[in-house]
Amino acid sequence: MAILLLPPRFSGAFALSAALHGDYLQAVGGGHPVHSSRDLAVRSGFADVPLAGIHLLGAAMAAFTRQFARNPIQLLKVDTKFVRPAYPGDEFELELALLDSKPVAGTPFIAGRYQGHCTNVHRQKVLMLDFKVRVAVAGNGGG
């Protein structure tokens, strides 16, 4: 059996363009109006129409899990804290550190817990992440 080691650190980048924001809003049936109305967003204290938090979280998790594309993966727990608004067109840096990792007895999975954050182009934290995953060795469980 091959051994899978979870990376001790992960750095990645992603962007959420205005087009992706529009696709997201269409997919969720419009979402909250603050995410599509500049007037409402500004009256609510935002600089412009903000991205939906779940959209930002999904993009961050996709950037991280993409490295395991050949491995079955289970997302066990996600804790987040949104620190400041993010906007369509923003680019983000994702920095994560592995806190612990261990094989899951009787399975082909290795479990890990990561903590980290996303920053915007101004190096301001916009999202804090703390999550647990299980990743299987490729070739076991459908890989």
Side-chain angles (χ1 to χ4, degrees):
M1 174 194 282
I3 296 175
L4 173 71
L5 299 176
L6 296 179
R9 299 198 68 71
F10 176 81
S11 296
F14 63 95
L16 289 172
S17 66
L20 287 174
H21 177 68
D23 291 347
Y24 170 82
L25 292 175
Q26 184 176 8
V28 300
H32 190 283
V34 77
H35 299 296
S36 57
S37 167
R38 185 174 194 291
D39 180 56
L40 180 58
V42 170
R43 285 189 290 130
S44 298
F46 295 100
D48 205 338
V49 172
L51 292 167
I54 194 69
H55 190 197
L56 178 61
L57 171 60
M61 293 304 296
F64 172 76
T65 60
R66 197 170 291 119
Q67 69 186 312
F68 301 112
R70 297 185 183 274
N71 305 76
I73 185 168
Q74 299 172 335
L75 182 58
L76 303 176
K77 179 182 177 185
V78 178
D79 287 322
T80 60
K81 179 178 180 183
F82 297 96
V83 181
R84 66 178 26 87
Y87 298 97
D90 283 356
E91 295 181 5
F92 303 95
E93 293 288 330
L94 177 61
E95 297 290 333
L96 298 167
L98 181 65
L99 299 183
D100 60 60
S101 175
K102 63 183 176 188
V104 179
T107 75
F109 287 89
I110 185 165
R113 179 178 174 206
Y114 284 88
Q115 276 186 345
H117 58 270
C118 285
T119 56
N120 60 21
V121 295
H122 306 291
R123 303 202 48 83
Q124 299 169 316
K125 291 179 182 173
V126 296
L127 172 65
M128 305 299 292
L129 287 159
D130 183 341
F131 62 92
K132 294 180 181 179
V133 293
R134 286 184 182 167
V135 181
V137 175
N140 288 312

